[in-house]
Amino acid sequence: MKTRRIIQPRTAIILLILGLLFYFHSAHAQPSSNSGLIKERRFPRLMNKENVIVLDVRTLEEYKTEHIPQSKLIDVQQKGFVDSIQTLTKNKTYLIYCRSGKRSQIALNLMKENGFKRVYHLKGGMIDWSGPKETRSIGK
């Protein structure tokens, strides 16, 4: 017959506290690949707040086809992207989007590396966007 081992109350409390600390730490930690990620349903609410700038980091051609209203175009694939973001005010909040979320993650990382603190990007990009869209010819 095996003897069962009983956990002492002090040990049980310590294990419970450690478990709770681990739970809260892992629940609030975000992996770096999803840093600043905002789901589509929350994006429109944030867009309309004061000191929020919406950035489209796709190409001019994509922007002409369709874009989120009042968004500013700064193509992350252009050589001058870092120079362009340096002209922006760093104490504002920036909501970034692209077609699928990959380029906006790159733009977010570059902006954070350059001193921007409040930068977020749209999960799924324009592919998942169901909010209002604009079509506009630029330069015509």
Side-chain angles (χ1 to χ4, degrees), residues 32-55:
S32 61
S33 63
N34 290 333
S35 176
L37 195 63
I38 293 179
K39 292 183 179 178
E40 190 269 340
R41 69 179 180 272
R42 191 167 166 229
F43 202 85
R45 284 183 276 159
L46 294 173
M47 283 174 43
N48 298 319
K49 293 195 176 216
E50 194 174 324
N51 291 318
V52 173
I53 307 295
V54 180
L55 294 180

Side-chain angles (χ1 to χ4, degrees), residues 9-80:
R10 179 184 283 167
T11 305
I13 291 170
I14 291 171
L15 288 173
L16 177 64
I17 291 170
L18 289 173
L20 288 171
L21 287 172
F22 176 76
Y23 169 78
F24 285 113
H25 174 69
S26 62
H28 291 91
Q30 289 184 330
S32 61
S33 63
N34 290 333
S35 176
L37 195 63
I38 293 179
K39 292 183 179 178
E40 190 269 340
R41 69 179 180 272
R42 191 167 166 229
F43 202 85
R45 284 183 276 159
L46 294 173
M47 283 174 43
N48 298 319
K49 293 195 176 216
E50 194 174 324
N51 291 318
V52 173
I53 307 295
V54 180
L55 294 180
D56 186 324
V57 295
R58 301 173 301 156
T59 65
L60 176 60
E61 291 75 26
E62 289 173 296
Y63 187 84
K64 283 180 182 179
T65 303
E66 67 179 5
H67 57 272
I68 295 173
Q70 287 110 27
S71 60
K72 178 178 180 171
L73 175 66
I74 303 179
D75 186 347
V76 72
Q77 296 175 333
Q78 293 295 318
K79 288 183 180 180

Side-chain angles (χ1 to χ4, degrees), residues 91-140:
N91 64 354
K92 293 193 178 201
T93 299
Y94 292 90
L95 304 178
I96 309 170
Y97 72 95
C98 63
R99 188 181 75 76
S100 67
K102 291 178 184 167
R103 287 177 281 177
S104 60
Q105 178 66 58
I106 292 167
L108 179 141
N109 292 339
L110 286 169
M111 289 180 79
K112 288 200 172 222
E113 287 172 13
N114 283 279
F116 292 84
K117 303 289 184 216
R118 292 184 307 271
V119 185
Y120 307 94
H121 75 108
L122 176 61
K123 180 180 180 180
M126 286 299 284
I127 292 172
D128 290 347
W129 177 252
S130 62
K133 297 176 185 174
E134 272 183 22
T135 304
R136 183 181 333 155
S137 288
I138 298 175
K140 287 189 177 182

